[in-house]
Amino acid sequence: MQVNTTRGFLWSDVETRTLLNIWGEQDIQTALDGNFRNSFVYRDVSRRLGAMGFERTPEQCRVRIKSLKRQYLLAKEGNLRNNGQYHKICKFYDTMERILSNRPALDPQELIDGGAGGEEEAGDGLEEDGEDVQDGYSEGTGECPYPAETEVKLEYPTVPIPIPVKVTVGNNSTSVRSHTANQSAGNLPARAPKRARKRRANFPMEKLMEQFLEQSAQAEDSFYRMEEQRLQAEDHRREAEHARELHMLQMLGQMFSSISSARPSSAAAPSKPPSRPPVISSTSPSCTRGPAAHLRRSSPQTDCLTQQSQLLNTDPQALVFERYYSLGSTSHRGMDEDILSLVKSTVPPLTSKKHKGQDGRIGIIGGCQEYTGAPYFAAISALKVGADLSHVFCTKDAATVIKSYSPELIVHPVLDSPNAVEEIEKWLPRLHGLVVGPGLGREDLLLKTAKEVIEKSKARDIPIVIDADGLWLVTQQPSVIQGYQKGILTPNFMEFTRLYEALHHEPMDSSDYQRSVLQLSVAMGNLTLVLKGEQDLITDGNKVYSCSLEGSGRRCGGQGDLLSGSMGVLAHWAHAASTAGMIRSMNPSVVAAFGACSLTRQCNNQAFQQHGRSTTTTDMIQEIGSAFKKLFES
């Protein structure tokens, strides 16, 4: 699973710098000054941090700021005493210095004199903040106590120390020294060996502080790491239980389907040998696959299976089992229901324990002055399917238009900027899926930017869906996505023809689409390919799967954008489920492609029943919720 996680406790450098930038803003510092109760301030900091893509609770923000202050004060004390020796301990020393330089001067000596047990954690969480009175630290006094759970105890032997008394008279002085020595000897236990006093002169306080700081950081990292491992193990356990339950339900469904299909099979073919399984009747009446219907069935079902078994050099009985249990068969029961059940198993459950962004953050690369609808359709479809956040990276003149379509979208007007790749690359660690092409246009600058973004995304192992003008880029430079197993291409007939001829340097055979789509997928390094048409053909170079769910005769602009946007979300879910071991029998990209094609066709069918010839993509988007529930949640 691709995980970002921001649910854990460890903070990355980028996340920490973002937190410091927010915490250092003037209104935040003003709110912290002079307020005893400041939980609302850290709730505001957490909200702003979430808007930047980092999900942290107010308590986590407070603890992190508190830890950074402690490191800053220790580093500052080291700078004063050892000419910058401690500067390397605090990675964010310069940032903290800039923020705190305008506040009252801190007294690092109070940190040393305060000891290790100077801090006492209060019980009500957020209200006891780093700037609070009971926390022992304030901007005015500069006190920074140590955490109580990692105290440093310095123990010295209890050895009586004689105190010499200086007296002017020599005899009296001698008698006083002798009395002190005798008194000390009388207080010591009998026959007790005299232990040498431990000397601390060669072990300065700075070194103790350095060791304490290192041990404290190691203990904190170890605790957070163990907690993260425990949470991950618990998630894996729940996912494994969910997968087992789904597997049992699938087995029961197959058993009931086999039993129900046995009765009409025995009535229709009484002369059939008893050794042949009864599930043969669950196959489709036609022996053809996909839109290429040039081989029509003209003989009984047994003859059709026998002809196919001769072509595959297998016996009829083995072919029957393959046709029933293989996900690549053209049977509506054997293919549609089985693959849809796999899609269902990848859909993450809705629980109150999740945080924003866990179910998917999708990026759309596209949108220029001429084309603003396509990126909107793709981005809003991703949200409607179930993604938590949807980003659109477009040109500057298209950003305002796209943003006006919907307030739910996060629009970045950077696609035509001089440093577009760097601006987009900053967001890639937060994205779970990428859709390239809707409304991209064919300008050389935009295509070059899209190519570099695809390369950066491949390096991060992000699922990529390429559609529309992104396919024009692939036609010109196939190597940009060739062989990437998490890549999916979604061409229509014209785009497919251009791509096929660019790779094979010969016209496509229009009489056999299945063979052509299989050849193109192999030429692209077994890349998942979706040929949109009367029946959507899906392949990864091994088998061709046909999605023949009923749609409608209405074709309007934007349907392909709905498909690519929903496919970006389902691709993230499918690969996450595959990582968790929930999908083993099929390529996750094929599962995602089949699910997106089925969903788009169902939306088209439902919208057409209501609007007929006037159906538009906007009408189809309104049907995503009910169509998704009917296909994957019923």
Side-chain angles (χ1 to χ4, degrees), residues 154-161 195-200:
L154 302 179
E155 299 182 356
Y156 296 89
T158 56
V159 179
I161 303 175
R195 293 183 296 176
R197 180 181 177 183
K198 294 183 179 179
R199 298 181 62 85
R200 300 289 180 178

Side-chain angles (χ1 to χ4, degrees), residues 286-351:
S286 173
C287 296
T288 62
R289 296 185 182 182
H294 59 285
L295 295 176
R296 293 296 178 184
R297 174 175 171 241
S298 59
S299 59
Q301 192 172 19
T302 305
D303 296 337
C304 177
L305 290 176
T306 304
Q307 292 174 4
Q308 291 188 358
S309 66
Q310 293 174 354
L311 293 174
L312 297 175
N313 196 20
T314 56
D315 59 280
Q317 184 174 358
L319 180 64
V320 170
F321 279 101
E322 185 200 359
R323 287 178 60 82
Y324 182 72
Y325 289 103
S326 171
L327 296 175
S329 68
T330 55
S331 163
H332 288 288
R333 292 188 183 215
M335 181 181 68
D336 292 1
E337 295 181 2
D338 288 350
I339 302 183
L340 288 178
S341 66
L342 284 178
V343 179
K344 291 179 184 179
S345 67
T346 66
V347 177
L350 297 176
T351 66

Side-chain angles (χ1 to χ4, degrees), residues 209-274:
M209 292 169 57
E210 182 178 1
Q211 291 181 357
F212 163 73
L213 182 63
E214 293 177 354
Q215 293 175 0
S216 176
Q218 291 175 0
E220 184 178 3
D221 291 344
S222 177
F223 169 75
Y224 289 154
R225 195 177 298 108
M226 292 176 61
E227 185 68 13
E228 184 71 18
Q229 292 175 356
R230 184 186 68 79
L231 292 174
Q232 291 179 357
E234 186 175 352
D235 290 342
H236 290 326
R237 180 184 60 80
R238 285 197 296 266
E239 291 170 355
E241 291 179 356
H242 182 62
R244 284 196 296 269
E245 292 175 358
L246 288 175
H247 182 65
M248 293 178 62
L249 291 175
Q250 292 174 10
M251 292 178 61
L252 288 174
Q254 291 176 355
M255 291 172 58
F256 290 139
S257 176
S258 175
I259 294 174
S260 62
S261 62
R263 296 176 180 176
S265 173
S266 59
S271 61
K272 184 171 52 181

